[in-house]
Amino acid sequence: MAFRKKKDDREVETYMKLTPKTFLLYAVIIIFCIIIISPLVIVFSSSLRTPENQVSPLNLFIEFSLESYQTAFQNMNYPMEFVNSFVTTAGSVLVIVIIATMAAYPIGRIKSKLARFMYFFFISGLIIPSQMVIVPIAQTLSRLGVPNTRFTPMLMFITCSLPFSVFLYSGFMKSVPVEIEESAYMDGASLFKRFTTIVFPLLKPATVSTIITQGLWIWNDYFYPMVFITRKEQYSLPVGMLQFLGDKENPAQWNILFAACVLCALPLIVIFLALQKQFINGIAAGAVKG
């Protein structure tokens, strides 16, 4: 036991020894973290100023006031836009999870050329950005008589999110043992029951990852709501923030805009803190199993 302890101590000393390579690695990580965190600190610091305080944003935390938050909350009509963003995000993510799991299930289980073709068919959707075809899509929706409501951008969100979601679920589907389904099949369970009661619960890490990654994008996106929504009472939070950018006659209200950014990101921060463990596990498992 004493020999084992000495060996472990030597391994710890070797691991903790600061070599030039380790020092360089730590320095790069610290610099990268500073670059990432600095804009967030500047935004939060400026949001705590009054709207009239136009001192350089680099002067951090020189004032502590909630006036900018109050102005942003009132001018944005935050409760209404929060509900619009929540409905759009939750509805889109729900449909994405349902369709992606149902598509990934046969792709991951059936060993055939058709299943492989369908896999690459979904993956091919990652190649072309949807913004490149937004004009013909808008024209098609207009000719089909699709009204411009808060539900119209959901069509684009669902379509654009399916390729990545199917890719993630297909890779994670390989970690679900087939023997469990075979046992349920021998007990008389139908395909729908096997999928809903056995397979889907085991895909929880991938589901959480899909909810966070796609939900984060949908919540923060302003392009599709700005294109397809024409009524102000149906604006989402990112679109409502654009009013603080100003124009040639009215300068940008930066402190209020920064406060609006914090209010928009606050629900996402809370959700991520609650689900960060599942998020990391889901991404890691999907990458390994894929």
Side-chain angles (χ1 to χ4, degrees):
M1 294 294 295
F3 175 76
R4 178 65 179 177
K5 184 177 180 181
K6 292 181 180 179
K7 183 178 180 181
D8 293 340
D9 293 340
R10 288 197 299 268
E11 291 179 354
V12 172
E13 291 177 359
T14 303
Y15 178 78
M16 296 298 294
K17 186 178 181 181
L18 190 62
T19 62
K21 184 178 180 180
T22 305
F23 177 81
L24 180 61
L25 178 61
Y26 287 166
V28 171
I29 294 175
I30 293 174
I31 294 174
F32 178 78
C33 292
I34 293 175
I35 294 175
I36 296 298
I37 296 175
S38 295
L40 303 179
V41 175
I42 293 174
V43 167
F44 183 66
S45 172
S46 300
S47 68
L48 294 175
R49 302 179 183 180
T50 58
E52 298 79 15
N53 189 345
Q54 298 298 324
V55 181
S56 173
L58 298 180
N59 296 331
L60 302 176
F61 301 105
I62 60 176
E63 184 180 5
F64 295 91
S65 173
L66 297 179
E67 184 176 347
S68 295
Y69 284 94
Q70 296 174 353
T71 304
F73 190 90
Q74 296 173 358
N75 293 354
M76 293 174 61
N77 197 350
Y78 185 83
M80 179 191 68
E81 294 182 358
F82 174 83
V83 172
N84 293 336
S85 295
F86 178 80
V87 171
T88 302
T89 304
S92 300
V93 169
L94 177 62
V95 176
I96 291 168
V97 170
I98 294 175
I99 297 178
T101 52
M102 295 177 65
Y105 180 67
I107 291 176
R109 283 289 184 259
I110 302 175
K111 306 298 181 181
S112 66
K113 293 183 179 180
L114 179 59
R116 190 169 182 81
F117 168 78
M118 293 302 300
Y119 175 77
F120 286 109
F121 174 76
F122 279 102
I123 297 302
S124 62
L126 298 172
I127 300 175
I128 303 175
S130 59
Q131 290 81 359
M132 294 180 59
V133 294
I134 190 63
V135 174
I137 290 177
Q139 293 176 348
T140 301
L141 293 178
S142 178
R143 293 174 182 175
L144 291 175
V146 179
N148 291 330
T149 65
R150 67 169 62 92
F151 300 103
T152 308
M154 294 174 60
L155 297 175
M156 296 301 302
F157 290 140
I158 295 170
T159 305
C160 297
S161 298
L162 280 178
F164 173 79
S165 301
V166 172
F167 167 75
L168 182 62
Y169 275 113
S170 299
F172 197 85
M173 191 71 67
K174 300 175 183 178
S175 65
V176 180
V178 182
E179 292 77 12
I180 300 179
E181 291 186 70
E182 293 177 348
S183 300
Y185 175 76
M186 296 299 294
D187 293 337
S190 62
L191 176 61
F192 179 78
K193 188 174 182 179
R194 296 198 305 270
F195 175 76
T196 55
T197 61
I198 298 177
V199 178
F200 185 77
L202 295 176
L203 298 176
K204 180 181 177 181
T207 301
V208 174
S209 300
T210 302
I211 293 174
I212 293 180
T213 55
Q214 303 310 305
L216 180 65
W217 168 61
I218 296 172
W219 181 276
N220 289 328
D221 185 79
Y222 73 92
F223 180 74
Y224 295 122
M226 184 177 61
V227 171
F228 293 106
I229 296 179
T230 56
R231 298 169 58 184
K232 186 176 181 180
E233 59 270 17
Q234 296 185 351
Y235 281 170
S236 61
L237 285 173
V239 178
M241 289 176 5
L242 296 179
Q243 62 180 301
F244 302 121
L245 287 177
D247 48 34
K248 294 182 179 179
E249 298 179 357
N250 301 313
Q253 306 174 51
W254 292 109
N255 294 344
I256 302 177
L257 177 61
F258 291 150
C261 292
V262 175
L263 290 175
C264 182
L266 187 60
L268 298 178
I269 296 174
V270 174
I271 294 175
F272 179 78
L273 291 177
L275 301 177
Q276 59 177 333
K277 182 178 180 180
Q278 290 85 347
F279 170 69
I280 296 174
N281 292 340
I283 292 295
V288 172
K289 298 297 180 182

